[in-house]
Amino acid sequence: MTHPIELRENTYLIDNHYPLNLFLNRCQVGEVGRTALYLHWHDHFEFIYVTAGNVTFHIDGQQYDASPGDILIVPSGVLHVGYAASNEEIQYWALVFNRTLLEGAASDPIHGRYLHPYLQGKLRFPVKINDSLLLAPIRDIFHDIIAEFEERAHVYELIVKAKIYMMFAILARNYLQDEEVSFSDSYEKRMERFKHLILYIQEHIGEKLPLSEAARIVNLTPNHFCKLFKAATGLTFVDYLNRLRIDKAATLLREGFSVTETASRVGCDNLNYFTKLYKKIKGVTPSETKRLLG
């Protein structure tokens, strides 16, 4: 897994005329709770298909437990993050595409009725597909898309696009009139605040940031801030900040920085505390990480 440079992920899509891509993500064997998907957001839709291991995703402030065979739909523009729920290897496919891939002609009433509300974010499908009768055909389509990407035979792009249309058609048939697909504008605005805060945290990882100051940045009381932050990330503010610092520390150690310099760069002035925190999160000490890297 690679660490995103910033919270708003500039996902690599094939090109502006064919704005989609398929990624196979792996998270190696390790401690329960390790990051399987780094917290980020992007302007694209994303279908996540778990094929190995158990993952707890937090998508737009809600928790979803996923195991092999599960498919989740990440709406455009929402925060999402994933943590390993077991110590085994995690593997999942991510199909990412921009809404422009499926935008129909303005004069197409069928497109306007069945797809436009979802593509424009006015309505949302349920994030996790729990209906087994619905999940099976969508999983089959996902397998077809994977096969097309692996083969890349003549006109595979058109076939993949048609398959995505089919997935949306199946979802629209089942959820078009359900009230559960709607969402709260006020809730979305609150989540927008956290995008800026978390990006600020990542850019100032070596600086102290008290909880009270973080709450002030998003214009919330500390108590309300704690509840919303836990909902958005699945972690308390302190736990998230510690994990982010240790993930950054692991990167710095791999890049050749000493343990002492690494601790300083991630804002841990007390070397003993840094070592204990690193071992708690990573399962080994910073020095042991250096030795394993050779």
Side-chain angles (χ1 to χ4, degrees):
M1 301 289 291
T2 57
H3 297 254
I5 296 173
E6 57 180 22
L7 187 63
R8 184 181 186 278
E9 184 177 76
N10 294 317
T11 309
Y12 172 71
L13 304 183
I14 292 175
D15 60 47
N16 291 332
H17 301 292
Y18 193 62
L20 74 87
N21 217 332
L22 180 68
F23 305 94
L24 177 59
N25 298 285
R26 292 187 175 92
C27 179
Q28 296 179 349
V29 172
E31 72 283 356
V32 173
R34 67 195 185 281
T35 304
L37 174 66
Y38 285 90
L39 182 66
H40 69 289
W41 68 280
H42 44 64
D43 294 322
H44 316 302
F45 285 91
E46 183 173 355
F47 281 68
I48 294 175
Y49 175 31
V50 179
T51 54
N54 297 296
V55 191
T56 296
F57 291 101
H58 292 265
I59 300 172
D60 204 24
Q62 298 296 315
Q63 178 176 320
Y64 302 92
D65 296 321
S67 55
D70 284 335
I71 292 178
L72 299 95
I73 306 167
V74 181
S76 170
V78 306
L79 288 168
H80 49 294
V81 64
Y83 305 107
S86 60
N87 57 14
E88 60 194 321
E89 182 184 45
I90 305 296
Q91 180 174 290
Y92 60 91
W93 292 90
L95 177 65
V96 184
F97 57 93
N98 193 272
R99 64 170 61 92
T100 57
L101 179 76
L102 304 182
E103 287 289 9
S107 59
D108 181 353
I110 301 301
H111 184 280
R113 179 180 179 184
Y114 296 120
L115 281 184
H116 189 74
Y118 300 105
L119 296 177
Q120 294 302 315
K122 296 176 182 178
L123 293 176
R124 291 182 182 173
F125 298 121
V127 169
K128 186 177 179 183
I129 304 173
N130 291 314
D131 185 339
S132 59
L133 294 179
L134 177 60
L135 180 58
I138 292 180
R139 190 189 293 130
D140 289 342
I141 293 171
F142 211 118
H143 286 159
D144 291 343
I145 291 173
I146 293 170
E148 289 292 337
F149 259 90
E150 289 178 339
E151 254 184 79
R152 295 183 184 261
H154 186 50
V155 303
Y156 84 94
E157 300 96 335
L158 189 59
I159 292 174
V160 169
K161 183 175 180 178
K163 296 286 184 182
I164 295 175
Y165 262 117
M166 181 60 73
M167 285 199 289
F168 266 80
I170 292 172
L171 291 165
R173 169 174 283 178
N174 284 270
Y175 294 118
L176 184 62
Q177 297 178 354
D178 288 356
E179 292 297 327
E180 65 178 311
V181 300
S182 62
F183 65 99
S184 164
D185 287 338
S186 61
Y187 177 79
E188 182 175 281
K189 289 176 182 177
R190 290 199 299 270
M191 290 300 102
E192 286 293 323
R193 302 180 195 177
F194 284 98
K195 294 177 182 178
H196 299 292
L197 170 64
I198 296 171
L199 181 55
Y200 175 87
I201 293 171
Q202 292 184 339
E203 291 176 341
H204 300 82
I205 194 64
E207 301 175 14
K208 303 295 183 185
L209 182 63
L211 187 150
S212 57
E213 176 62 15
R216 188 198 64 77
I217 290 173
V218 295
N219 196 28
L220 293 171
T221 65
N223 284 342
H224 196 196
F225 169 80
C226 289
K227 292 177 183 178
L228 286 178
F229 192 92
K230 180 71 179 289
T233 67
L235 297 171
T236 67
F237 175 72
V238 173
D239 286 343
Y240 175 80
L241 194 57
N242 286 338
R243 180 169 289 276
L244 194 65
R245 283 175 170 157
I246 296 307
D247 284 341
K248 177 63 176 179
T251 299
L252 293 173
L253 292 171
R254 287 195 296 269
E255 291 174 354
F257 289 93
S258 70
V259 173
T260 301
E261 188 173 6
T262 295
S264 176
R265 282 176 172 261
V266 299
C268 293
D269 298 327
N270 187 314
L271 192 57
N272 288 333
Y273 172 74
F274 170 69
T275 299
K276 289 178 181 178
L277 183 62
Y278 191 99
K279 185 171 184 179
K280 178 182 176 181
I281 293 175
K282 293 297 184 183
V284 295
T285 66
S287 298
E288 288 170 336
T289 295
K290 294 284 286 182
R291 285 198 296 273
L292 289 172
L293 292 171

